[in-house]
Amino acid sequence: MANAKQQENLLLTEHFTWPPISLLDEIINTVNEVLYKCTDTLESGLSSADPAVLGFAQKYAAENRVVEKDEDGRQVYPDAKLEIEEGILKLETLMEGAVDKNFDRLEIWTLRNVLCLPQDVGEWVRLGHYENLTIPPDNPSITPESLNALRRKLVETQKLHTALLAEKTRNDAQIQRLRSLLQPSPGTKCEPRSSTSPSNPAQANGNAPFAFLTHTPAAQ
C-alpha cells in the first residue's frame, strides 16, 4: 500500500494532470539548454578571435617559442584551439555543477513548501471531478476475473462497433453509386425513343445508363 507521501503525489498528479516533479525537471532542462547555448556561443566567439589577442602571443614569448606562420604569412598558434576547447569544457562542467547544486535545493524546497499538501489534509481532499459521485456498495460477486472479462467484452464490442461503422460507410457509398446509375443528371429528360433517337439508352443518358428503367414514361 502506498505511504502518505506517495498518496500525496498521486493526488497532486491527478489534480494537475502531470507529476509535480515534471515541472521542476522542465525548469532544470530549460536552464541547462540556456547554459549549453551560452558555452557554445562563447566557444564560437573565442575560436573566431585572433589567438594573439587572447594572450597566446605573450605565452609563446614567455616560453621562448617560435610562432609558426601559414602560407599567407599569418601567425598560427596550434595550441589555441585545444586550449579553448579544454577551457570551455571545464567551464561547462563548473556551471553544470553549480546548476545541479542550486536547483537541487530549489527542487527540495519546492516539493516541501509549494507542490505539497498540509499534513493530514490529503485524506480530506476531494477533487472537482469527484463531486456528486455515487460510490456503489461493495459487491462480493465482482472479482478481478469478472472485471477482466467485462473489459475484454468491452474491447471486442468497440472493435465490432468500428467494423460496423466501416461497413455502413461502404454500403452508403455503394448505394450512392447504384443511385447514380438510375438517376439522370439535372437537365436531362428521358423521352420516348423515336426513329431518330439513339438506339442505345446508355448513349442518351451517359451519366446514368440505367435511368430509362425508372424515368421513362414506359417505366412509369
Side-chain angles (χ1 to χ4, degrees), residues 138-202:
D138 294 337
N139 188 350
S141 63
I142 299 178
T143 61
E145 291 76 11
S146 63
L147 291 177
N148 288 331
L150 289 175
R151 186 178 295 108
R152 289 193 298 269
K153 184 177 180 180
L154 175 61
V155 172
E156 295 300 326
T157 303
Q158 291 174 340
K159 291 181 180 179
L160 178 60
H161 179 67
T162 302
L164 291 176
L165 288 179
E167 184 66 22
K168 180 179 180 298
T169 302
R170 289 193 295 269
N171 291 339
D172 291 342
Q174 183 66 21
I175 291 173
Q176 188 64 29
R177 286 194 296 269
L178 293 175
R179 285 177 177 173
S180 65
L181 297 177
L182 298 175
Q183 185 69 29
S185 58
T188 302
K189 294 183 178 180
C190 295
E191 299 178 352
R193 189 179 65 184
S194 62
S195 59
T196 58
S197 301
S199 59
N200 188 357

Side-chain angles (χ1 to χ4, degrees), residues 19 61-62 78-79 94 113 159 175 195 204-205:
D79 300 339
L94 180 63
N113 299 279
K159 291 181 180 179
I175 291 173
S195 59
N205 300 283

Side-chain angles (χ1 to χ4, degrees), residues 103-120:
F103 279 88
D104 283 346
R105 294 177 179 176
L106 173 65
E107 178 179 334
I108 295 173
W109 182 86
T110 304
L111 292 177
R112 288 181 177 178
N113 299 279
V114 180
L115 300 176
C116 63
L117 293 174
Q119 189 175 5
D120 299 330

